[in-house]
Amino acid sequence: MTPLLKYTLRLADNALIIGHRLSEWCGHGPVLEQDIALTNMALDHLGQARSLYQYAAEQVNNMPAAEKKNLFTGDAIQGLIREGGMIDEDNVAYLRDGWDFCNILLVEQPNNDWAYTIARSFFYDTFNYFFYTELRNSKDTTLSAVAEKSLKEVLYHKRWSGEWMIRLGDGTEESHTRIQQAVNDLWMYTGEFFKMDEVDTTMLQNGDGVDLPAVKMQWEQRVAAILEEATLQLPPTGWMQDGGKQGVHTEHLGYVLAELQFMQRAYPRHVW
Amino acid sequence: MGTIEIKEGGVMSELTESRIYEWLSAVTDPEVPVLTILDLGIVRKVSISNTEKGAAVTISITPTYSGCPAMDVISVGIRMALLSQGIKDIKIELQLSPAWTTDWMTEDGKRKLKEYGIAPPNRKAFQPLGFFEEEEVTCPRCGAADTTLVSNFGPTSCKALYKCLSCFEPFEHFKCH
Ligand SMILES: [Zn+2]
């Protein structure tokens, strides 16, 4: 798999999985306005995922046949490619197996309660903001266009989750305790955001990718500032769990995919 | 390239970009039907070429928000509008950059929004607000400036929810984006 395809899929999978997680709140929000806010943000992520999956599918379709042979472990999509068919964004989203997904681990973590959902969004939105800001300078014109477009939407997300961090942290004793717990528990999944592997390095060297350690500095500053305003403790540096970018996931992703992909797996190539 | 002609009402007439824009002005946004796609500024380019089979038209459109579900309906609307004028070779391209902004909305569009009961975008986009800072929005019903934000997110991606503190009516605000 080319570094560009891997990179595109990582971004797309992040967007799809966080979008799906947020959409699980639909009809369960604490108040109607927040229910609508969550589904709006889920829709933004889904739209971004669609643009990126379209780009991934286009890259696969343009590859020479020999390079397409072992792109994915899942035979549902690999079979389609073997038959010589063109794939589209839906195939990439619905027909790959867990091993083929390369989203960061944070986005697949369960909603749990309102505090966990907010903390997860806060860490991710802050990262997304600085990441997409940098990705706008990518030499790859599709990635830079997606970044430019997405960034405007990420601004709303970042504001929403940042405000909620302050509201909960600096709120009641109960809300403070619960958001602090969520921050502590999810902290170990944030190290993966910034870990450069050979895909990131190649993309950066080509002028197509983002310098993650540079994003890390901005992210840490911002997170520390908001946690302080929210009267919350910044967790100590410690063990960070990674693996998602390489396709090694927590047990939660399987459940997400079982629900997300159900229709296409139960009724292959079904359309309506 | 020579003149491209189309048959209109039994007579041949020249196909120009402005003619196509005229037709596109009949295509509306399914979610805010008072606005045409030209009012919204989502049509970025129109180009005409001559093929053996007749005139071919390419329209570039840009989505308002990444996940805007109206884009597919709008594409169908454009196709129908051109087909009904006898254009058969139609290509619709989706263009992401430069990213759409409410700065491209026409003054006429903003007026129509207000008459429809939606507060139009009232400033240049891309000056993000700080935490807990509220956009100053005038009530589209009674004109009062004394309004309050209910939620930054509304029934569609492009709108926020407000409440007027003077006439107490809830209303939607087309966000500056
Ligand atoms: Zn009023």
Short mmCIF file of all heavy atoms in Angstrom, two decimals, chain A residues 33 36-37 40-41 43-44 47-48 50-51 136 145-146 148-153 155-160 162-163 166-167 222 226 229, chain B residues 63-67 69 72 96-101 126 128-134 150-157 161 175-177:
data_model
loop_
_atom_site.label_atom_id
_atom_site.label_comp_id
_atom_site.label_asym_id
_atom_site.label_seq_id
_atom_site.Cartn_x
_atom_site.Cartn_y
_atom_site.Cartn_z
N GLU A 33 -31.21 20.30 22.32
CA GLU A 33 -30.22 21.11 21.63
C GLU A 33 -28.88 20.40 21.53
O GLU A 33 -28.17 20.52 20.54
CB GLU A 33 -30.03 22.47 22.33
CG GLU A 33 -31.15 23.45 22.12
CD GLU A 33 -32.38 23.13 22.96
OE1 GLU A 33 -32.27 22.32 23.90
OE2 GLU A 33 -33.47 23.69 22.67
N ILE A 36 -29.03 17.58 19.01
CA ILE A 36 -28.89 18.13 17.65
C ILE A 36 -27.44 18.54 17.38
O ILE A 36 -26.91 18.32 16.29
CB ILE A 36 -29.83 19.34 17.48
CG1 ILE A 36 -31.29 18.87 17.51
CG2 ILE A 36 -29.56 20.08 16.17
CD1 ILE A 36 -32.30 20.01 17.56
N ALA A 37 -26.79 19.09 18.40
CA ALA A 37 -25.38 19.48 18.23
C ALA A 37 -24.53 18.26 17.89
O ALA A 37 -23.70 18.30 16.97
CB ALA A 37 -24.86 20.14 19.51
N ASN A 40 -25.19 17.01 14.38
CA ASN A 40 -24.59 17.94 13.42
C ASN A 40 -23.10 17.66 13.26
O ASN A 40 -22.59 17.64 12.14
CB ASN A 40 -24.73 19.38 13.93
CG ASN A 40 -25.89 20.13 13.28
OD1 ASN A 40 -25.75 20.63 12.18
ND2 ASN A 40 -27.02 20.19 13.94
N MET A 41 -22.42 17.47 14.38
CA MET A 41 -20.98 17.22 14.32
C MET A 41 -20.70 15.86 13.70
O MET A 41 -19.76 15.70 12.94
CB MET A 41 -20.36 17.36 15.71
CG MET A 41 -20.30 18.83 16.11
SD MET A 41 -19.57 19.10 17.71
CE MET A 41 -20.96 18.77 18.77
N LEU A 43 -22.42 14.50 11.45
CA LEU A 43 -22.60 14.69 10.01
C LEU A 43 -21.38 15.34 9.37
O LEU A 43 -20.96 14.96 8.27
CB LEU A 43 -23.85 15.55 9.78
CG LEU A 43 -24.28 15.74 8.32
CD1 LEU A 43 -24.69 14.43 7.69
CD2 LEU A 43 -25.43 16.73 8.24
N ASP A 44 -20.79 16.32 10.05
CA ASP A 44 -19.57 16.93 9.53
C ASP A 44 -18.47 15.88 9.35
O ASP A 44 -17.81 15.83 8.31
CB ASP A 44 -19.03 18.00 10.51
CG ASP A 44 -19.90 19.25 10.56
OD1 ASP A 44 -20.65 19.50 9.60
OD2 ASP A 44 -19.81 19.99 11.56
N GLY A 47 -19.22 13.59 6.47
CA GLY A 47 -18.96 14.26 5.19
C GLY A 47 -17.48 14.30 4.87
O GLY A 47 -17.07 14.06 3.73
N GLN A 48 -16.67 14.57 5.89
CA GLN A 48 -15.22 14.59 5.68
C GLN A 48 -14.73 13.19 5.33
O GLN A 48 -13.89 13.02 4.44
CB GLN A 48 -14.53 15.11 6.95
CG GLN A 48 -14.83 16.58 7.23
CD GLN A 48 -14.52 17.01 8.66
OE1 GLN A 48 -13.84 16.30 9.39
NE2 GLN A 48 -15.00 18.18 9.05
N ARG A 50 -16.39 10.92 3.82
CA ARG A 50 -16.80 10.59 2.46
C ARG A 50 -15.81 11.15 1.43
O ARG A 50 -15.39 10.44 0.52
CB ARG A 50 -18.20 11.14 2.20
CG ARG A 50 -18.74 10.70 0.87
CD ARG A 50 -20.10 11.30 0.57
NE ARG A 50 -20.62 10.74 -0.67
CZ ARG A 50 -21.72 11.18 -1.27
NH1 ARG A 50 -22.41 12.16 -0.74
NH2 ARG A 50 -22.12 10.63 -2.40
N SER A 51 -15.43 12.41 1.60
CA SER A 51 -14.46 13.01 0.67
C SER A 51 -13.16 12.21 0.67
O SER A 51 -12.58 11.97 -0.39
CB SER A 51 -14.14 14.45 1.07
OG SER A 51 -15.29 15.24 1.04
N ARG A 136 -3.41 21.94 5.45
CA ARG A 136 -3.78 22.87 4.37
C ARG A 136 -2.58 23.18 3.47
O ARG A 136 -2.74 23.54 2.32
CB ARG A 136 -4.29 24.19 4.96
CG ARG A 136 -5.72 24.13 5.43
CD ARG A 136 -6.19 25.49 5.85
NE ARG A 136 -5.29 26.07 6.83
CZ ARG A 136 -5.38 27.30 7.31
NH1 ARG A 136 -6.36 28.07 6.91
NH2 ARG A 136 -4.54 27.76 8.20
N ALA A 145 -7.28 20.46 0.00
CA ALA A 145 -8.66 20.96 -0.18
C ALA A 145 -9.59 20.42 0.91
O ALA A 145 -10.40 21.16 1.46
CB ALA A 145 -9.18 20.57 -1.57
N VAL A 146 -9.44 19.14 1.23
CA VAL A 146 -10.25 18.55 2.30
C VAL A 146 -9.94 19.25 3.63
O VAL A 146 -10.84 19.57 4.42
CB VAL A 146 -10.01 17.02 2.43
CG1 VAL A 146 -10.68 16.47 3.67
CG2 VAL A 146 -10.53 16.30 1.20
N GLU A 148 -8.77 22.31 4.12
CA GLU A 148 -9.30 23.69 4.11
C GLU A 148 -10.79 23.69 4.41
O GLU A 148 -11.29 24.48 5.21
CB GLU A 148 -9.03 24.29 2.72
CG GLU A 148 -9.47 25.73 2.59
CD GLU A 148 -9.46 26.21 1.13
OE1 GLU A 148 -8.88 25.52 0.27
OE2 GLU A 148 -10.06 27.26 0.89
N LYS A 149 -11.49 22.75 3.75
CA LYS A 149 -12.93 22.64 3.93
C LYS A 149 -13.27 22.20 5.36
O LYS A 149 -14.14 22.79 6.02
CB LYS A 149 -13.45 21.60 2.93
CG LYS A 149 -14.92 21.32 2.99
CD LYS A 149 -15.66 22.21 2.06
CE LYS A 149 -17.08 22.38 2.46
NZ LYS A 149 -17.61 23.69 2.11
N SER A 150 -12.58 21.16 5.85
CA SER A 150 -12.89 20.58 7.15
C SER A 150 -12.59 21.53 8.29
O SER A 150 -13.30 21.56 9.29
CB SER A 150 -12.08 19.29 7.36
OG SER A 150 -12.29 18.41 6.29
N LEU A 151 -11.53 22.28 8.13
CA LEU A 151 -11.08 23.16 9.21
C LEU A 151 -12.19 24.10 9.69
O LEU A 151 -12.35 24.34 10.88
CB LEU A 151 -9.86 23.95 8.76
CG LEU A 151 -9.14 24.73 9.85
CD1 LEU A 151 -8.60 23.78 10.91
CD2 LEU A 151 -8.00 25.54 9.26
N LYS A 152 -12.98 24.58 8.75
CA LYS A 152 -14.06 25.51 9.12
C LYS A 152 -15.08 24.82 10.02
O LYS A 152 -15.65 25.43 10.92
CB LYS A 152 -14.76 26.04 7.86
CG LYS A 152 -13.81 26.75 6.92
CD LYS A 152 -14.53 27.36 5.74
CE LYS A 152 -15.21 28.64 6.14
NZ LYS A 152 -15.72 29.40 4.98
N GLU A 153 -15.30 23.52 9.76
CA GLU A 153 -16.25 22.77 10.58
C GLU A 153 -15.63 22.40 11.92
O GLU A 153 -16.29 22.42 12.96
CB GLU A 153 -16.69 21.51 9.80
CG GLU A 153 -17.51 21.89 8.59
CD GLU A 153 -17.38 20.94 7.40
OE1 GLU A 153 -16.88 19.83 7.58
OE2 GLU A 153 -17.78 21.34 6.29
N LEU A 155 -13.65 24.06 13.62
CA LEU A 155 -13.71 25.22 14.51
C LEU A 155 -14.94 25.19 15.42
O LEU A 155 -14.86 25.52 16.60
CB LEU A 155 -13.75 26.51 13.68
CG LEU A 155 -12.41 27.10 13.26
CD1 LEU A 155 -12.62 28.24 12.29
CD2 LEU A 155 -11.64 27.59 14.48
N TYR A 156 -16.07 24.77 14.87
CA TYR A 156 -17.29 24.65 15.68
C TYR A 156 -17.13 23.55 16.72
O TYR A 156 -17.55 23.69 17.87
CB TYR A 156 -18.50 24.29 14.82
CG TYR A 156 -18.96 25.35 13.86
CD1 TYR A 156 -18.76 25.20 12.49
CD2 TYR A 156 -19.64 26.47 14.30
CE1 TYR A 156 -19.20 26.16 11.59
CE2 TYR A 156 -20.09 27.43 13.41
CZ TYR A 156 -19.87 27.27 12.05
OH TYR A 156 -20.31 28.20 11.17
N HIS A 157 -16.54 22.42 16.27
CA HIS A 157 -16.40 21.27 17.18
C HIS A 157 -15.52 21.63 18.37
O HIS A 157 -15.83 21.32 19.52
CB HIS A 157 -15.76 20.07 16.44
CG HIS A 157 -16.44 19.71 15.15
ND1 HIS A 157 -15.88 18.87 14.22
CD2 HIS A 157 -17.63 20.10 14.62
CE1 HIS A 157 -16.70 18.73 13.20
NE2 HIS A 157 -17.76 19.47 13.40
N LYS A 158 -14.39 22.26 18.03
CA LYS A 158 -13.39 22.59 19.04
C LYS A 158 -13.97 23.57 20.07
O LYS A 158 -13.71 23.46 21.26
CB LYS A 158 -12.21 23.21 18.29
CG LYS A 158 -11.25 24.05 19.06
CD LYS A 158 -10.13 24.47 18.10
CE LYS A 158 -9.32 25.62 18.62
NZ LYS A 158 -9.88 26.95 18.35
N ARG A 159 -14.78 24.48 19.60
CA ARG A 159 -15.39 25.46 20.50
C ARG A 159 -16.41 24.77 21.41
O ARG A 159 -16.44 24.99 22.62
CB ARG A 159 -16.06 26.54 19.65
CG ARG A 159 -16.62 27.68 20.44
CD ARG A 159 -16.84 28.90 19.56
NE ARG A 159 -17.43 29.96 20.35
CZ ARG A 159 -18.68 30.38 20.21
NH1 ARG A 159 -19.46 29.85 19.30
NH2 ARG A 159 -19.15 31.33 20.98
N TRP A 160 -17.19 23.89 20.80
CA TRP A 160 -18.23 23.19 21.55
C TRP A 160 -17.63 22.32 22.64
O TRP A 160 -18.03 22.40 23.81
CB TRP A 160 -19.07 22.34 20.58
CG TRP A 160 -20.15 21.53 21.24
CD1 TRP A 160 -21.41 21.94 21.55
CD2 TRP A 160 -20.06 20.17 21.66
NE1 TRP A 160 -22.12 20.92 22.14
CE2 TRP A 160 -21.31 19.81 22.21
CE3 TRP A 160 -19.05 19.20 21.62
CZ2 TRP A 160 -21.58 18.54 22.72
CZ3 TRP A 160 -19.31 17.94 22.14
CH2 TRP A 160 -20.57 17.62 22.68
N GLY A 162 -14.59 22.40 23.89
CA GLY A 162 -13.81 23.22 24.84
C GLY A 162 -14.71 23.88 25.86
O GLY A 162 -14.42 23.88 27.07
N GLU A 163 -15.83 24.41 25.40
CA GLU A 163 -16.78 25.05 26.34
C GLU A 163 -17.33 24.04 27.34
O GLU A 163 -17.47 24.35 28.53
CB GLU A 163 -17.96 25.67 25.56
CG GLU A 163 -17.60 26.96 24.87
CD GLU A 163 -18.78 27.59 24.12
OE1 GLU A 163 -19.87 26.97 24.05
OE2 GLU A 163 -18.62 28.70 23.61
N ILE A 166 -14.91 23.23 30.18
CA ILE A 166 -14.90 24.26 31.22
C ILE A 166 -16.17 24.18 32.07
O ILE A 166 -16.14 24.25 33.30
CB ILE A 166 -14.74 25.65 30.58
CG1 ILE A 166 -13.38 25.73 29.87
CG2 ILE A 166 -14.91 26.77 31.60
CD1 ILE A 166 -13.22 26.89 28.92
N ARG A 167 -17.28 23.98 31.38
CA ARG A 167 -18.57 23.91 32.08
C ARG A 167 -18.60 22.76 33.08
O ARG A 167 -19.05 22.91 34.23
CB ARG A 167 -19.67 23.75 31.04
CG ARG A 167 -21.03 24.18 31.49
CD ARG A 167 -22.01 24.17 30.33
NE ARG A 167 -22.08 25.44 29.64
CZ ARG A 167 -22.15 25.58 28.32
NH1 ARG A 167 -22.12 24.52 27.53
NH2 ARG A 167 -22.24 26.76 27.76
N ARG A 222 -2.50 24.04 24.33
CA ARG A 222 -3.93 24.35 24.31
C ARG A 222 -4.70 23.52 25.35
O ARG A 222 -5.54 24.04 26.08
CB ARG A 222 -4.45 24.09 22.89
CG ARG A 222 -5.91 24.14 22.72
CD ARG A 222 -6.34 25.43 22.10
NE ARG A 222 -7.78 25.56 22.17
CZ ARG A 222 -8.42 26.70 22.16
NH1 ARG A 222 -7.74 27.83 22.07
NH2 ARG A 222 -9.72 26.75 22.22
N ILE A 226 -6.78 24.91 28.69
CA ILE A 226 -8.22 24.73 28.91
C ILE A 226 -8.48 23.90 30.17
O ILE A 226 -9.40 24.19 30.93
CB ILE A 226 -8.90 24.12 27.67
CG1 ILE A 226 -8.85 25.18 26.58
CG2 ILE A 226 -10.33 23.68 27.95
CD1 ILE A 226 -9.49 24.82 25.30
N GLU A 229 -8.24 26.27 32.99
CA GLU A 229 -9.45 27.10 33.10
C GLU A 229 -10.61 26.29 33.66
O GLU A 229 -11.46 26.82 34.37
CB GLU A 229 -9.81 27.70 31.73
CG GLU A 229 -10.81 28.83 31.85
CD GLU A 229 -11.12 29.51 30.52
OE1 GLU A 229 -10.32 29.36 29.56
OE2 GLU A 229 -12.15 30.20 30.46
N PRO B 63 -19.76 22.24 -2.02
CA PRO B 63 -20.69 22.00 -0.91
C PRO B 63 -20.59 23.11 0.14
O PRO B 63 -19.52 23.69 0.34
CB PRO B 63 -20.22 20.67 -0.33
CG PRO B 63 -18.81 20.50 -0.75
CD PRO B 63 -18.64 21.27 -2.02
N THR B 64 -21.70 23.40 0.80
CA THR B 64 -21.67 24.38 1.88
C THR B 64 -20.91 23.80 3.07
O THR B 64 -19.94 24.36 3.52
CB THR B 64 -23.11 24.73 2.31
OG1 THR B 64 -23.81 23.52 2.57
CG2 THR B 64 -23.83 25.52 1.25
N TYR B 65 -21.36 22.62 3.53
CA TYR B 65 -20.67 21.88 4.60
C TYR B 65 -20.34 20.50 4.04
O TYR B 65 -21.05 20.01 3.16
CB TYR B 65 -21.57 21.73 5.83
CG TYR B 65 -21.71 23.01 6.64
CD1 TYR B 65 -22.46 24.07 6.16
CD2 TYR B 65 -21.08 23.16 7.86
CE1 TYR B 65 -22.57 25.26 6.87
CE2 TYR B 65 -21.19 24.33 8.59
CZ TYR B 65 -21.93 25.38 8.10
OH TYR B 65 -22.05 26.54 8.81
N SER B 66 -19.25 19.88 4.57
CA SER B 66 -18.80 18.58 4.05
C SER B 66 -19.94 17.56 3.99
O SER B 66 -20.03 16.78 3.05
CB SER B 66 -17.68 18.01 4.91
OG SER B 66 -16.55 18.82 4.86
N GLY B 67 -20.76 17.54 5.03
CA GLY B 67 -21.78 16.51 5.10
C GLY B 67 -23.14 16.95 4.60
O GLY B 67 -24.13 16.28 4.87
N PRO B 69 -26.36 17.07 3.07
CA PRO B 69 -27.08 16.07 2.28
C PRO B 69 -27.83 16.69 1.10
O PRO B 69 -28.34 15.97 0.24
CB PRO B 69 -28.04 15.43 3.28
CG PRO B 69 -28.16 16.40 4.40
CD PRO B 69 -27.02 17.35 4.35
N ASP B 72 -26.67 16.27 -3.19
CA ASP B 72 -27.12 15.30 -4.18
C ASP B 72 -28.42 15.76 -4.84
O ASP B 72 -28.60 15.63 -6.04
CB ASP B 72 -27.31 13.91 -3.54
CG ASP B 72 -25.96 13.31 -3.12
OD1 ASP B 72 -24.93 13.70 -3.72
OD2 ASP B 72 -25.93 12.47 -2.20
N LEU B 96 -13.92 21.36 -3.93
CA LEU B 96 -13.81 21.60 -2.48
C LEU B 96 -13.06 22.89 -2.14
O LEU B 96 -13.28 23.50 -1.10
CB LEU B 96 -13.09 20.43 -1.80
CG LEU B 96 -13.85 19.11 -1.66
CD1 LEU B 96 -13.02 18.10 -0.89
CD2 LEU B 96 -15.20 19.30 -0.99
N SER B 97 -12.13 23.27 -3.01
CA SER B 97 -11.31 24.45 -2.73
C SER B 97 -11.47 25.48 -3.84
O SER B 97 -11.47 25.11 -5.01
CB SER B 97 -9.84 24.03 -2.61
OG SER B 97 -9.02 25.15 -2.42
N PRO B 98 -11.57 26.79 -3.51
CA PRO B 98 -11.65 27.37 -2.16
C PRO B 98 -12.94 26.97 -1.45
O PRO B 98 -13.97 26.81 -2.08
CB PRO B 98 -11.61 28.88 -2.43
CG PRO B 98 -12.09 29.05 -3.83
CD PRO B 98 -11.67 27.81 -4.57
N ALA B 99 -12.82 26.81 -0.12
CA ALA B 99 -13.95 26.34 0.67
C ALA B 99 -15.07 27.39 0.67
O ALA B 99 -14.81 28.59 0.78
CB ALA B 99 -13.51 26.04 2.10
N TRP B 100 -16.30 26.91 0.58
CA TRP B 100 -17.47 27.79 0.55
C TRP B 100 -17.53 28.67 1.81
O TRP B 100 -17.18 28.25 2.91
CB TRP B 100 -18.74 26.94 0.44
CG TRP B 100 -20.01 27.74 0.45
CD1 TRP B 100 -20.59 28.38 -0.60
CD2 TRP B 100 -20.86 27.98 1.60
NE1 TRP B 100 -21.73 29.01 -0.19
CE2 TRP B 100 -21.93 28.79 1.14
CE3 TRP B 100 -20.81 27.61 2.94
CZ2 TRP B 100 -22.94 29.21 1.99
CZ3 TRP B 100 -21.82 28.04 3.78
CH2 TRP B 100 -22.87 28.83 3.31
N THR B 101 -17.97 29.88 1.61
CA THR B 101 -18.15 30.79 2.74
C THR B 101 -19.45 31.58 2.52
O THR B 101 -19.86 31.82 1.38
CB THR B 101 -16.96 31.77 2.88
OG1 THR B 101 -17.36 32.89 3.66
CG2 THR B 101 -16.46 32.26 1.52
N PHE B 126 -15.14 33.67 9.07
CA PHE B 126 -13.78 33.32 9.47
C PHE B 126 -13.13 34.31 10.41
O PHE B 126 -11.95 34.62 10.32
CB PHE B 126 -12.86 33.04 8.27
CG PHE B 126 -12.10 31.75 8.51
CD1 PHE B 126 -12.68 30.53 8.22
CD2 PHE B 126 -10.85 31.79 9.10
CE1 PHE B 126 -12.01 29.33 8.51
CE2 PHE B 126 -10.16 30.60 9.37
CZ PHE B 126 -10.76 29.38 9.06
N PRO B 128 -13.39 33.60 14.02
CA PRO B 128 -14.03 32.74 15.00
C PRO B 128 -14.29 33.47 16.32
O PRO B 128 -13.55 34.36 16.71
CB PRO B 128 -13.04 31.60 15.19
CG PRO B 128 -11.80 31.97 14.48
CD PRO B 128 -12.09 33.10 13.57
N LEU B 129 -15.37 33.08 16.96
CA LEU B 129 -15.73 33.67 18.24
C LEU B 129 -15.00 32.96 19.37
O LEU B 129 -14.61 31.81 19.25
CB LEU B 129 -17.24 33.53 18.47
CG LEU B 129 -18.15 34.23 17.45
CD1 LEU B 129 -19.59 33.80 17.67
CD2 LEU B 129 -18.03 35.74 17.58
N GLY B 130 -14.83 33.65 20.49
CA GLY B 130 -14.21 33.04 21.66
C GLY B 130 -15.21 32.17 22.40
O GLY B 130 -16.40 32.14 22.06
N PHE B 131 -14.72 31.47 23.44
CA PHE B 131 -15.61 30.64 24.25
C PHE B 131 -16.74 31.48 24.84
O PHE B 131 -16.50 32.59 25.32
CB PHE B 131 -14.84 30.00 25.40
CG PHE B 131 -14.03 28.81 24.99
CD1 PHE B 131 -13.00 28.34 25.79
CD2 PHE B 131 -14.30 28.13 23.80
CE1 PHE B 131 -12.25 27.23 25.42
CE2 PHE B 131 -13.57 27.03 23.42
CZ PHE B 131 -12.54 26.58 24.23
N PHE B 132 -17.92 30.96 24.81
CA PHE B 132 -19.10 31.57 25.43
C PHE B 132 -19.44 32.95 24.85
O PHE B 132 -20.23 33.69 25.42
CB PHE B 132 -18.94 31.65 26.97
CG PHE B 132 -18.63 30.32 27.59
CD1 PHE B 132 -17.36 30.04 28.09
CD2 PHE B 132 -19.60 29.32 27.67
CE1 PHE B 132 -17.07 28.80 28.65
CE2 PHE B 132 -19.32 28.09 28.23
CZ PHE B 132 -18.04 27.84 28.73
N GLU B 133 -18.80 33.29 23.75
CA GLU B 133 -19.10 34.58 23.11
C GLU B 133 -20.26 34.36 22.13
O GLU B 133 -20.27 33.36 21.42
CB GLU B 133 -17.87 35.07 22.35
CG GLU B 133 -17.98 36.49 21.82
CD GLU B 133 -16.79 36.87 20.95
OE1 GLU B 133 -15.75 36.18 21.00
OE2 GLU B 133 -16.91 37.84 20.20
N GLU B 134 -21.18 35.29 22.09
CA GLU B 134 -22.35 35.11 21.22
C GLU B 134 -22.34 36.08 20.06
O GLU B 134 -21.99 37.24 20.21
CB GLU B 134 -23.65 35.31 22.02
CG GLU B 134 -24.01 34.11 22.87
CD GLU B 134 -25.38 34.26 23.51
OE1 GLU B 134 -26.21 35.03 22.98
OE2 GLU B 134 -25.61 33.62 24.55
N VAL B 150 -29.53 29.97 21.54
CA VAL B 150 -30.02 28.76 22.20
C VAL B 150 -29.04 27.62 21.94
O VAL B 150 -28.65 26.90 22.83
CB VAL B 150 -31.44 28.38 21.69
CG1 VAL B 150 -31.90 27.06 22.30
CG2 VAL B 150 -32.42 29.49 22.01
N SER B 151 -28.62 27.48 20.67
CA SER B 151 -27.62 26.47 20.33
C SER B 151 -26.92 26.85 19.04
O SER B 151 -27.56 27.37 18.12
CB SER B 151 -28.27 25.09 20.18
OG SER B 151 -27.32 24.17 19.70
N ASN B 152 -25.62 26.59 18.99
CA ASN B 152 -24.85 26.85 17.79
C ASN B 152 -25.19 25.88 16.67
O ASN B 152 -24.73 26.04 15.54
CB ASN B 152 -23.36 26.70 18.11
CG ASN B 152 -22.66 28.03 18.01
OD1 ASN B 152 -22.92 28.79 17.08
ND2 ASN B 152 -21.79 28.32 18.95
N PHE B 153 -25.96 24.84 16.99
CA PHE B 153 -26.28 23.83 16.00
C PHE B 153 -27.79 23.77 15.84
O PHE B 153 -28.52 23.82 16.83
CB PHE B 153 -25.74 22.47 16.44
CG PHE B 153 -24.24 22.48 16.60
CD1 PHE B 153 -23.68 22.79 17.84
CD2 PHE B 153 -23.41 22.20 15.54
CE1 PHE B 153 -22.30 22.81 18.00
CE2 PHE B 153 -22.03 22.22 15.69
CZ PHE B 153 -21.47 22.53 16.92
N GLY B 154 -28.23 23.67 14.59
CA GLY B 154 -29.66 23.70 14.34
C GLY B 154 -30.13 22.53 13.50
O GLY B 154 -29.43 21.52 13.39
N PRO B 155 -31.32 22.68 12.88
CA PRO B 155 -31.88 21.59 12.08
C PRO B 155 -31.07 21.26 10.84
O PRO B 155 -31.19 20.16 10.30
CB PRO B 155 -33.27 22.10 11.72
CG PRO B 155 -33.20 23.58 11.86
CD PRO B 155 -32.21 23.83 12.96
N THR B 156 -30.26 22.19 10.33
CA THR B 156 -29.32 21.88 9.25
C THR B 156 -27.96 22.43 9.66
O THR B 156 -27.88 23.31 10.53
CB THR B 156 -29.74 22.51 7.90
OG1 THR B 156 -29.69 23.93 8.03
CG2 THR B 156 -31.14 22.11 7.48
N SER B 157 -26.91 21.94 9.01
CA SER B 157 -25.54 22.34 9.38
C SER B 157 -25.35 23.85 9.34
O SER B 157 -24.57 24.40 10.11
CB SER B 157 -24.53 21.72 8.42
OG SER B 157 -24.70 20.34 8.34
N LEU B 161 -29.61 28.15 16.45
CA LEU B 161 -30.92 28.47 17.03
C LEU B 161 -30.83 29.67 17.97
O LEU B 161 -29.95 29.73 18.83
CB LEU B 161 -31.45 27.26 17.81
CG LEU B 161 -31.65 25.96 17.02
CD1 LEU B 161 -32.00 24.81 17.96
CD2 LEU B 161 -32.73 26.14 15.96
N LYS B 175 -25.62 30.75 9.92
CA LYS B 175 -24.31 31.04 10.53
C LYS B 175 -23.32 31.66 9.56
O LYS B 175 -23.28 31.28 8.39
CB LYS B 175 -23.70 29.74 11.06
CG LYS B 175 -24.34 29.21 12.31
CD LYS B 175 -23.57 28.03 12.86
CE LYS B 175 -24.09 26.71 12.35
NZ LYS B 175 -23.67 25.56 13.15
N CYS B 176 -22.51 32.58 10.07
CA CYS B 176 -21.40 33.11 9.29
C CYS B 176 -20.36 32.01 9.22
O CYS B 176 -19.86 31.58 10.25
CB CYS B 176 -20.77 34.32 9.98
SG CYS B 176 -21.98 35.56 10.36
N HIS B 177 -20.06 31.56 8.02
CA HIS B 177 -19.20 30.39 7.89
C HIS B 177 -18.10 30.63 6.86
O HIS B 177 -18.39 31.07 5.77
CB HIS B 177 -20.05 29.19 7.46
CG HIS B 177 -19.30 27.89 7.40
ND1 HIS B 177 -19.02 27.15 8.53
CD2 HIS B 177 -18.75 27.21 6.37
CE1 HIS B 177 -18.34 26.05 8.17
NE2 HIS B 177 -18.17 26.07 6.89
#
